[in-house]
Amino acid sequence: MPEPIRLTIDGRSVEVEPGTLVIEAARRVGIKIPSFCYYEGLSLAGACRMCLVEVEKMPKLQTACTLAAAPGMVVRTDTPQVAEARRAMVEFLLTNHPLDCPVCDKGGECELQDMAFRYGAAESRYREAKHHVPEQQWSPVVYYDRPRCILCYRCVRVCDEGMGVGALGVVNRGGRSEIAPNRGDHLECDECGACIDICPVGALTSGMYRYHTRPWEMAHIGTICAFCADGCKTTLGVYHNRIIRGNNRDRSGLNGEFLCIKGRYAADFPHHAERLSSPLVRRDGRLVRATWAEALALVESRFREALASGAPIGIIGSNHTTNEENYYLQKLARQGLRTPHLDHPRTGDLPALMAAVAGREAALARIEDLYAARAVLVAGADLAQQHPLLSWQIRANWRHHQARVYVVSCGPVREDRYAARSVRVAAGRELEGILGLEESLRTEPELVVVFGEAIQGEQVARLVAFGDSLGIPVKYVCLVDYANSRGAADMGLLPDLGPGYQPLERSGMALDEMLECADLAVLWIVGANPLAGGVRPPARFLVVQDLFLTDTARRADVVLPAASAYEKEGTVTNVCGEVQRLRGAVSVAGAKTDLEIFTLLARRLGLETGPVTWEKLLDEISSSVPGYQVSAAALRAGVPQQVRPPRQASPSRRGKVRSARDTLFTSGTLGRYAAILSAVREAPGELYRG
Amino acid sequence: MKFSEQTEAKLARLVESYPPDHRRSALVPMLLFIQDEVGAVTPQVVEEVCARLGISPLEVEEVVSYYSMLRREPAGRYHIQICTNISCMLVGGAELFEHACRKLGIGNHGVTEDGMFSLEEVECIGACCWGPALQVNYDYHHHVTPEAFDRLIEQLRGNGLKQRGT
């Protein structure tokens, strides 16, 4: 470690590492220096001049955001000269800024408003006509209002550096400067909305939120995004029981300020017009509305018949239900309904990885490892499309730490642009591509390997053996598709493995086998849509539990309306095995949480007595599932808890692994019900084109 | 897009003067060289420059919209830039500009119908000691009175279309 530097800020002595900026050094001791253009993690702009401070022996005021701390430096942020400079800067920024705060979306959470309040003058001396430019719509997501813009370049930098997209620029000069989109009058980009959330004023606003409500009228509920498996925290803004927006402006959670279009704007699906609001039962070939009592009685009777006759029952679980629900479902299936036929649509070969790294405490990478590791290998995945947070982390790692990035894929990916090496292989030959990198990888001090479904089965064991042979610490991430795909496998929604990948004495049918089995008395499909475009499975009775009348639900005998992830409490586990807490944001009339439906059925079948809560189930999971010893208190406080690989684990020998290969703008069946995802028209990533 | 041998040689030298991952640094001089030959930064020029430097059209747009010396529409054969900034203004720069407008029958950023002359009012061109000053393409003219301006125009007309740039 280099010698720390000591400097004085407002009479307080501060010790920082060499290279620390004065603005950061001040923050360290609780002195807030105002700024617009400075944004931690992005390149320096020195554009807004809000952060001017006095430095002894320097003749003029200095911008604290571009000034590196030096030994013995004496900085003052509280002098009359600094206060005057700030007042002048705010006045200058307000010369052409419209005073439309009462109708501006940003009003109440606007940095310019806050700074005018704190540092600004009460009166403006500007008497000229303001330069007006009409508002522009650049995409279904992004709107730009030039007069409000203070040209801090945050949006330009976050898009270029953070996202690696570079869809925004600044055109013209001086007072006529404005932000411009990359396609003349519109944007072609990830539509993530990072530019909107990072905007310190109301210049960039979102199609989803604009003119809907005021920030202080909403409840703000921090939960975990319901779409991909990265597990981003999103703070849902709820007004009158409707989700109006998602954001992560407070940079909390494992994703910092990152969110993609799904986390920010796809949270409207709970309120979709086609949302099921009552159970449906099939009468005379048609699905008709029924009461919960009728529907549950019907399901109960079919289960009772099957149990009495010994006919097999099949259960397909979900990639979206909570860990507690998944755990309870497998218990209900195996102990209550005494059936081994349990599976879920598998999107990555987690059991194979767990078996290969069983007992190794440090074998699984966390989201933050992708930002910290000296080298990262991405194999068989277009992260920018499928796992945008991982892509963001790796890009930031490269920008801030010059991490070396290796890519093995069958088509171009965003990481190519800065990869130390990119290897193109034919689809299915990814492992060979990785083995070919041996010489380079051997020279790295450490490595994180991120692999997609292209590597599965015994190839995973070969990959881990290869990692071992490198003689460096290697961590792994096995990519899976959805919000709790990891949790579904961890909780044992598998035909031959119980919770924690423990082998079962009696293995059951895998998903595909169940869909073809004519002997099944009941097939119960929870939150999954395996019959998309297909035919009805030959099971005698089909129960489907879901949010919408999906392709699968249409073929059911009984449909039970379930609550979404944004309507329930519990925990989910992300692609890196980090357990986080879901918080209910809204309630939708008619729907019940999956857990409630499970317990209602269990009670009817005489299998459950007394109340079942997610907290109790989490306690049970944490004391009984190998690797899941997580602290419920920490989860409640919003700290992600990474689970460990079990001491012993088995690969799954039944069933198939298939990724849905979603893009930024699709997300399996759920994605179809998020209006914004189908409203944008961007081409998906190169890897999935054509 | 292909340019003259001379321009291509200049561009080749230019691209080589920067490290491979900083090729975009060649953008401004490249646009100027090409503009000298083509007359303007046309959409085709933007496309060509993007391809040669591996940058996006937006990055070119940022630069073209910023620098007043880069044009989207061709200027006249003789592009006359008259300084009306303080030093020149004090000794008649503004009057010279007005005279030029009358003489050529065009306004600021105008081009004469025959395509011979274009006119632009510019900020300081760094000839403060010799004002009023103007620039014809890359050539400077000092102490330009209205009469001297008229003589200059006649002389340039006499040159006809022979000369372009320098």
Side-chain angles (χ1 to χ4, degrees):
Chain A
M1 278 297 281
E3 277 290 293
I5 308 180
R6 191 167 278 284
L7 70 159
T8 310
I9 304 177
D10 290 348
R12 300 173 64 173
S13 184
V14 190
E15 203 167 81
V16 293
E17 312 82 74
T20 307
L21 299 165
V22 169
I23 196 168
E24 283 296 330
R27 274 176 202 187
R28 232 52 68 95
V29 285
I31 298 168
K32 173 125 172 95
I33 298 176
S35 71
F36 288 110
C37 71
Y38 177 73
Y39 196 86
E40 194 193 339
L42 298 180
S43 64
L44 304 177
C48 77
R49 313 203 77 76
M50 258 320 277
C51 66
L52 291 169
V53 293
E54 235 178 277
V55 183
E56 232 172 59
K57 298 194 180 97
M58 291 191 178
K60 291 199 222 169
L61 296 180
Q62 301 290 316
T63 46
C65 76
T66 56
L67 184 67
M73 194 178 250
V74 179
V75 180
R76 296 216 66 96
T77 75
D78 55 358
T79 65
Q81 205 193 347
V82 170
E84 182 51 37
R86 288 175 183 170
R87 189 157 53 238
M89 280 325 300
V90 171
E91 186 181 5
F92 179 62
L93 290 171
L94 289 174
T95 50
N96 202 51
H97 192 89
L99 295 177
D100 60 353
C101 304
V103 293
C104 176
D105 281 335
K106 212 68 168 200
E109 51 185 13
C110 169
E111 293 176 42
L112 182 58
Q113 211 176 40
D114 293 348
M115 294 228 209
F117 174 79
R118 206 164 297 278
Y119 307 109
E123 276 178 41
S124 169
R125 290 174 292 170
Y126 188 74
R127 297 285 176 271
E128 320 293 315
K130 296 206 174 195
H131 168 55
H132 185 74
V133 178
E135 191 179 39
Q136 303 161 33
Q137 181 182 4
W138 289 343
S139 78
V141 171
V142 187
Y143 287 71
Y144 179 60
D145 189 349
R146 165 64 186 101
R148 288 178 186 160
C149 179
I150 59 166
L151 296 168
C152 68
Y153 290 63
R154 275 194 200 175
C155 54
V156 175
R157 286 175 287 151
V158 79
C159 188
D160 183 23
E161 301 166 19
M163 297 303 299
V165 172
L168 296 172
V170 180
V171 297
N172 303 334
R173 179 154 59 153
R176 303 283 153 148
S177 298
E178 58 183 46
I179 308 298
N182 59 353
R183 292 286 175 267
D185 61 350
H186 69 279
L187 272 172
E188 186 180 310
C189 66
D190 285 1
E191 305 285 3
C192 67
C195 53
I196 299 169
D197 274 2
I198 209 169
C199 181
V201 295
L204 290 163
T205 52
S206 82
M208 186 180 186
Y209 174 64
R210 64 203 303 273
Y211 303 138
H212 268 74
T213 180
R214 311 300 289 160
W216 56 84
E217 288 188 314
M218 292 185 286
H220 302 274
I221 293 127
T223 188
I224 305 305
C225 177
F227 291 91
C228 91
D230 293 355
C232 292
K233 185 189 162 203
T234 177
T235 300
L236 301 176
V238 178
Y239 180 60
H240 285 177
N241 199 33
R242 277 186 87 87
I243 300 171
I244 306 285
R245 68 174 188 189
N247 74 32
N248 207 33
R249 292 180 67 216
D250 63 2
R251 309 179 84 171
S252 60
L254 44 72
N255 44 314
E257 70 268 52
F258 177 81
L259 279 176
C260 73
I261 183 172
K262 292 171 191 165
R264 281 201 178 87
Y265 306 119
D268 57 348
F269 68 87
H271 314 296
H272 193 279
E274 289 171 37
R275 188 71 195 272
L276 293 171
S277 59
S278 121
L280 305 172
V281 298
R282 193 168 291 281
R283 286 206 185 101
D284 307 322
R286 288 180 49 227
L287 282 172
V288 294
R289 290 167 78 94
T291 64
W292 274 98
E294 288 167 334
L296 290 173
L298 186 54
V299 177
E300 177 198 341
S301 69
R302 294 305 185 114
F303 273 135
R304 280 191 187 282
E305 281 167 34
L307 286 170
S309 68
I313 293 170
I315 299 174
I316 294 171
S318 174
N319 281 298
H320 291 281
T321 45
T322 66
N323 288 328
E324 294 73 24
E325 288 167 339
N326 294 342
Y327 179 81
Y328 190 85
L329 178 62
Q330 66 83 29
K331 210 167 122 178
L332 177 61
R334 291 180 174 129
Q335 294 169 25
L337 299 170
R338 295 189 299 282
T339 174
H341 311 302
L342 179 62
D343 201 353
H344 74 283
R346 282 179 257 171
T347 56
D349 202 345
L350 285 163
L353 178 64
M354 293 303 159
V357 300
R360 300 193 206 172
E361 296 268 313
L364 301 179
R366 290 168 303 168
I367 292 288
E368 66 178 59
D369 290 323
L370 294 166
Y371 175 65
R374 306 295 297 281
V376 181
L377 164 64
V378 183
D382 188 350
L383 295 184
Q385 288 293 322
Q386 298 186 299
H387 294 276
L389 173 62
L390 306 192
S391 180
W392 164 277
Q393 290 289 89
I394 297 171
R395 200 160 44 246
N397 192 0
W398 167 73
R399 282 190 297 126
H400 295 157
H401 313 133
Q402 295 78 50
R404 291 169 59 80
V405 179
Y406 297 87
V407 173
V408 176
S409 68
C410 60
V413 297
R414 196 170 291 171
E415 284 70 34
D416 288 341
R417 280 182 234 157
Y418 54 86
R421 282 191 66 187
S422 276
V423 182
R424 287 288 100 83
V425 293
R429 314 295 282 267
E430 283 83 356
L431 183 62
E432 287 164 51
I434 297 173
L435 301 182
L437 287 170
E438 183 178 352
E439 236 169 88
S440 308
L441 296 177
R442 212 176 262 292
T443 63
E444 299 295 349
E446 59 177 349
L447 182 67
V448 173
V449 179
V450 179
F451 64 95
E453 47 131 26
I455 294 171
Q456 53 174 281
E458 55 84 34
Q459 289 202 329
V460 178
R462 281 177 62 203
L463 174 66
V464 173
F466 169 73
D468 292 343
S469 76
L470 293 174
I472 55 170
V474 183
K475 293 181 179 186
Y476 299 89
V477 178
C478 170
L479 297 175
V480 286
D481 284 359
Y482 300 119
N484 206 24
S485 291
R486 172 68 194 256
D490 287 354
M491 292 303 120
L493 298 188
L494 295 163
D496 52 352
L497 299 172
Y501 306 94
Q502 301 307 301
L504 296 170
E505 277 174 31
R506 187 177 155 220
S507 79
M509 284 185 269
L511 187 146
D512 289 345
E513 296 170 280
M514 284 189 255
L515 293 181
E516 282 159 19
C517 177
D519 297 336
L520 284 182
V522 182
L523 177 55
W524 183 14
I525 302 180
V526 178
N529 189 15
L531 307 182
V535 290
R536 192 192 145 104
R540 273 170 267 159
F541 192 73
L542 179 61
V543 183
V544 174
Q545 183 169 321
D546 214 315
L547 278 64
F548 302 101
L549 199 60
T550 62
D551 318 76
T552 300
R554 274 174 216 287
R555 296 174 174 85
D557 295 293
V558 173
V559 182
L560 303 172
S564 76
Y566 292 152
E567 297 149 45
K568 56 171 84 153
E569 306 283 326
T571 66
V572 289
T573 309
N574 78 354
V575 66
C576 291
E578 286 159 294
V579 181
Q580 300 184 92
R581 191 179 161 195
L582 282 185
R583 306 238 352 249
V586 290
S587 56
V588 172
K592 292 185 191 297
T593 66
D594 294 278
L595 184 60
E596 192 181 353
I597 300 171
F598 297 155
T599 54
L600 284 173
L601 274 171
R603 211 156 294 149
R604 280 175 171 272
L605 294 166
L607 301 168
E608 185 69 63
T609 53
V612 179
T613 64
W614 75 271
E615 287 103 330
K616 270 199 208 167
L617 286 167
L618 180 61
D619 281 346
E620 194 175 328
I621 289 168
S622 144
S623 61
S624 70
V625 177
Y628 259 77
Q629 287 69 49
V630 295
S631 151
L635 287 177
R636 263 189 213 99
V639 181
Q641 303 266 295
Q642 195 193 28
V643 296
R644 290 185 208 91
R647 256 187 219 101
Q648 279 161 344
S650 294
S652 173
R653 296 180 206 290
R654 292 188 82 153
K656 290 201 180 84
V657 171
R658 274 180 301 244
S659 166
R661 303 191 164 209
D662 285 307
T663 70
L664 266 177
F665 310 114
T666 66
S667 187
T669 305
L670 188 62
R672 292 188 219 159
Y673 298 94
I676 197 79
L677 295 183
S678 42
V680 296
R681 288 274 170 261
E682 265 78 3
E686 295 281 340
L687 198 53
Y688 308 108
R689 209 164 258 175
Chain B
M1 221 176 169
K2 266 281 173 197
F3 306 107
S4 70
E5 230 169 86
Q6 242 181 331
T7 304
E8 285 292 351
K10 277 190 201 169
L11 299 184
R13 264 202 313 280
L14 193 58
V15 169
E16 277 167 27
S17 3
Y18 301 96
D21 51 341
H22 288 81
R23 278 199 300 172
R24 55 182 278 172
S25 301
L27 178 58
V28 171
M30 181 175 271
L31 286 170
L32 281 172
F33 289 153
I34 295 176
Q35 179 176 273
D36 282 344
E37 179 170 324
V38 180
V41 180
T42 61
Q44 291 80 6
V45 169
V46 172
E47 204 176 302
E48 182 62 25
V49 167
C50 287
R52 289 188 187 216
L53 298 179
I55 59 178
S56 73
L58 180 60
E59 286 172 279
V60 180
E61 188 63 28
E62 289 179 302
V63 163
V64 174
S65 66
Y66 185 88
Y67 290 108
S68 55
M69 289 170 76
L70 294 170
R71 294 185 294 270
R72 288 171 215 275
E73 298 293 332
R77 175 62 34 116
Y78 300 106
H79 183 56
I80 301 169
Q81 302 176 66
I82 301 180
C83 172
T84 56
N85 213 303
I86 287 184
S87 301
C88 286
M89 186 190 75
L90 290 174
V91 292
E95 289 78 5
L96 174 65
F97 179 72
E98 279 166 28
H99 174 79
C101 288
R102 280 194 301 273
K103 171 82 182 167
L104 297 173
I106 53 177
N108 191 20
H109 294 294
V111 185
T112 55
E113 255 172 47
D114 59 2
M116 189 77 85
F117 298 106
S118 54
L119 187 60
E120 191 180 353
E121 182 181 8
V122 295
E123 304 301 330
C124 185
I125 54 174
C128 305
C129 295
W130 309 288
L134 62 77
Q135 233 186 306
V136 177
N137 299 340
Y138 288 116
D139 297 332
Y140 276 71
H141 297 265
H142 303 140
H143 304 301
V144 186
T145 58
E147 298 71 39
F149 182 82
D150 291 351
R151 283 197 299 278
L152 175 64
I153 294 298
E154 295 321 313
Q155 185 201 332
L156 293 173
R157 275 224 173 91
N159 286 350
L161 297 174
K162 283 186 292 191
Q163 182 201 352
R164 150 156 279 173
T166 38

